[in-house]
Amino acid sequence: MTQPTYRVSHLDALEAESIFVMREVVAEFERPALLFSGGKDSIVMLRLAEKAFAPARIPFPVMHVDTGHNFPEVLQYRDRRVAQLGLNLVVASVPEAIESGTVREPADGTRNRIQTPVLLAAQEKYRFDALFGGARRDEEKARAKERVFSFRDDFGQWDPKNQRPELWSLYNGRHQPGESIRVFPLSNWTELDIWRYIERERIELPSIYYAHDRDVVVRDGMLYAVNEYLKARDGEEIVTKRVRYRTVGDASLTAAVESDADTVQKVIAEVAATRLTERGATRGDDRVSEASMEDRKREGYF
């Protein structure tokens, strides 16, 4: 008698692992929350959370660390998606922290670096003991050595030498009061996996992820959109190009890439062919130094 064959697809396996991680966190922790920027990775995390706890609502709030330098399309998407799911949105506001004197805006006007103390203050205020983040190991080398459960001390700091083994997918969430865990359910996904899942699940994204015409300047070899947070410098020429964004971040530091990919299928073909990571191609803050991401993670960054 021939035995029936049963195969689990690559995306099914990734989805099952991520859902397992989310359910494990809800079972182990008292006050988890999900970091939601309106970017494709956090959008996929929301979809996974929907599936993990359906038919009930997602049993934790989402938190956006708002630099005040957002792409308007992303904020509109964030508010619409949160309303659709009936979620509680916590906004950790960098502009409010600047106004109160909690943090000081850098002279160059960029705010990525001062997100970290605002994030940590919000985590302490709301007593979140676990925060879901959308980081993936293929993005950048500091993230490649992260655990799925990333232990943070009572100052919110990450020490790569003070992490727990995760043998056989056994996760250790033990922590003392004041300590916390960052959780990365997408650790084993790649950018291409994310896009294939978006296609399979028919997930809506902010429009900036697809090709459109935008006024940009070329700076440090990257295409930065001209907007109220980023002005052309002396000698820079503003040109209109067909671009899209591979990642969503601070509008003063996130660059676009030239592209004609205006559908999810075209984006998948483009991502499959590229040899440059999305952060290497589009994030000016990652070019500060070889260890910039690791330095920020040690300070408590995502």
Side-chain angles (χ1 to χ4, degrees):
M1 179 178 177
T2 304
Q3 294 293 322
T5 59
Y6 178 72
R7 293 183 178 178
V8 176
S9 74
H10 179 60
L11 286 183
D12 285 338
L14 290 172
E15 178 189 70
E17 179 186 59
S18 300
I19 286 175
F20 169 76
V21 169
M22 287 186 162
R23 289 172 175 166
E24 190 75 8
V25 168
V26 169
E28 285 192 39
F29 293 85
E30 293 184 5
R31 298 180 68 83
L34 186 147
L35 293 169
F36 184 65
S37 65
K40 65 184 185 310
D41 300 315
S42 57
I43 290 169
V44 165
M45 279 204 301
L46 268 190
R47 177 62 179 148
L48 292 165
E50 275 189 276
K51 287 193 165 186
F53 305 105
R57 288 200 311 185
I58 296 172
F60 40 75
V62 297
M63 180 164 74
H64 181 207
V65 183
D66 180 1
T67 66
H69 288 176
N70 302 287
F71 293 97
E73 301 95 324
V74 176
L75 283 187
Q76 292 164 11
Y77 178 94
R78 179 200 70 181
D79 294 341
R80 185 169 67 252
R81 190 71 181 124
V82 165
Q84 286 172 347
L85 296 173
L87 297 175
N88 176 25
L89 171 65
V90 174
V91 177
S93 173
V94 173
E96 289 181 7
I98 293 172
E99 188 174 348
S100 67
T102 307
V103 295
R104 180 179 297 177
E105 186 168 29
D108 64 4
T110 60
R111 296 178 174 176
N112 261 13
R113 195 83 191 205
I114 56 176
Q115 286 182 90
T116 300
V118 177
L119 164 67
L120 296 178
Q123 182 177 4
E124 182 178 3
K125 177 182 177 180
Y126 293 99
R127 295 186 292 112
F128 293 137
D129 54 1
L131 289 176
F132 291 106
R136 308 186 320 270
R137 291 196 174 107
D138 72 323
E139 288 183 81
E140 196 273 340
K141 58 187 179 184
R143 300 187 181 202
K145 56 186 175 185
E146 263 285 22
R147 302 289 198 270
V148 175
F149 275 32
S150 178
F151 174 76
R152 306 299 170 104
D153 65 19
D154 50 2
F155 296 102
Q157 297 172 323
W158 173 71
D159 181 352
K161 297 179 181 177
N162 192 25
Q163 301 299 316
R164 288 93 179 251
E166 294 182 335
L167 303 176
W168 305 293
S169 298
L170 295 175
Y171 305 115
N172 183 350
R174 292 180 60 185
H175 61 283
Q176 300 295 324
E179 298 171 343
S180 62
I181 302 290
R182 300 288 172 80
V183 184
F184 302 114
L186 305 179
S187 287
N188 293 324
W189 296 55
T190 66
E191 183 185 11
L192 193 55
D193 295 328
I194 292 291
W195 276 104
R196 285 175 171 157
Y197 192 73
I198 288 166
E199 178 188 39
R200 190 184 86 170
E201 299 291 312
R202 302 177 186 273
I203 298 173
E204 178 193 358
L205 294 182
S207 58
I208 66 172
Y209 276 111
Y210 300 105
H212 57 284
D213 293 330
R214 192 174 284 252
D215 290 341
V216 299
V217 294
V218 181
R219 183 177 299 171
D220 299 327
M222 295 193 286
L223 300 175
Y224 287 98
V226 178
N227 53 53
E228 61 180 302
Y229 314 116
L230 188 143
K231 307 297 183 186
R233 296 172 179 166
D234 290 343
E236 289 181 335
E237 181 186 4
I238 300 175
V239 293
T240 302
K241 287 189 175 290
R242 188 82 171 156
V243 299
R244 71 175 191 86
Y245 286 84
R246 288 178 68 183
T247 181
V248 166
D250 192 302
S252 63
L253 282 170
T254 306
V257 294
E258 285 195 84
S259 173
D260 290 318
D262 54 5
T263 66
V264 64
Q265 292 80 15
K266 291 179 182 177
V267 172
I268 288 172
E270 188 177 271
V271 171
T274 188
R275 299 181 65 84
L276 191 60
T277 69
E278 65 194 83
R279 295 196 71 90
T282 64
R283 297 299 288 265
D285 47 334
D286 287 351
R287 296 191 173 187
V288 175
S289 77
E290 281 288 310
S292 59
M293 175 61 80
E294 181 148 342
D295 291 342
R296 277 183 290 159
K297 284 176 66 65
R298 288 179 186 275
E299 295 167 1
Y301 187 69
F302 309 108

